Amino acid sequence: KQEVTQIPAALSVPEGENLVLNCSFTDSAIYNLQWFRQDPGKGLTSLLLIQSSQREQTSGRLNASLDKSSGRSTLYIAASQPGDSATYLCAVHGGSYIPTFGRGTSLIVHP
Amino acid sequence: EAQVTQNPRYLITVTGKKLTVTCSQNMNHEYMSWYRQDPGLGLRQIYYSMNVEVTDKGDVPEGYKVSRKEKRNFPLILESPSPNQTSLYFCASSSAQDRERYGYTFGSGTRLTVV
């Protein structure tokens, strides 16, 4: 059974720092990996999706990488801002239609 | 705009009073799913559907029912809600053919409180 782990569980950084969120998974037979952002009490907004054949995806200050062989993905946030404060979830999509979610990393960027 | 729409956004109800949370998607997706999210427990899948008239249990199906009579709609039914079903609920959908490229789309959530 696929297991997804996100480290760290919580992170607090000063504004302007570059930071890395980690996601690891146990079964490398995946279709894609998707990073989501969730604001408190709100829905999940898709940030980036990396297909199994891809190594990375970029959107603005965000860069996500995927290493299937080692079962790892990272989300890199450049020049963090207070508006980046949220919970970041990764979801791994395998052979079934059921994605497996990590527990998330709660990020606080303070001014 | 491609989206998953849930209603209502907020709901307070009493124990035992049947309720339905609606979910509709306009992307012609085959796959739809319901999740609940609780502090410290993450997202847990309640039920999912691979297509019309095809539904299956997720990790926490007890106390819930679903139906998939039309492709676009996937309502979540609580026949006799109890306080332990107080939670934040999400509906999600995905294309069977294009899920590798497009992944999953989530609704905005329904905050349910059962008193």
Side-chain angles (χ1 to χ4, degrees), chain B residues 27-80:
Chain B
M27 296 165 281
N28 201 37
H29 284 171
E30 292 79 15
Y31 176 85
M32 297 185 74
S33 181
W34 276 103
Y35 294 86
R36 61 178 289 174
Q37 188 178 39
D38 303 287
L41 297 177
L43 279 162
R44 294 182 291 170
Q45 191 175 50
I46 303 171
Y47 269 95
Y48 63 96
S49 169
M50 307 284 249
N51 215 323
V52 176
E53 301 293 359
V54 180
T55 63
D56 212 340
K57 296 177 181 179
D59 297 321
V60 289
E62 294 78 20
Y64 305 94
K65 285 175 58 177
V66 293
S67 69
R68 189 87 183 275
K69 294 184 172 57
E70 307 165 280
K71 198 171 187 180
R72 63 182 292 125
N73 296 322
F74 190 45
L76 179 69
I77 304 155
L78 285 72
E79 294 271 2
S80 183

Side-chain angles (χ1 to χ4, degrees), chain A residues 18-51:
Chain A
N18 301 323
L19 51 99
V20 175
L21 309 182
N22 297 291
C23 173
S24 62
F25 48 95
T26 54
D27 185 350
S28 62
I30 65 171
Y31 276 91
N32 60 46
L33 184 145
Q34 199 168 357
W35 281 95
F36 292 89
R37 169 186 171 136
Q38 185 179 25
D39 294 295
K42 306 291 186 183
L44 278 70
T45 301
S46 181
L47 297 173
L48 290 165
L49 180 145
I50 312 175
Q51 298 178 50

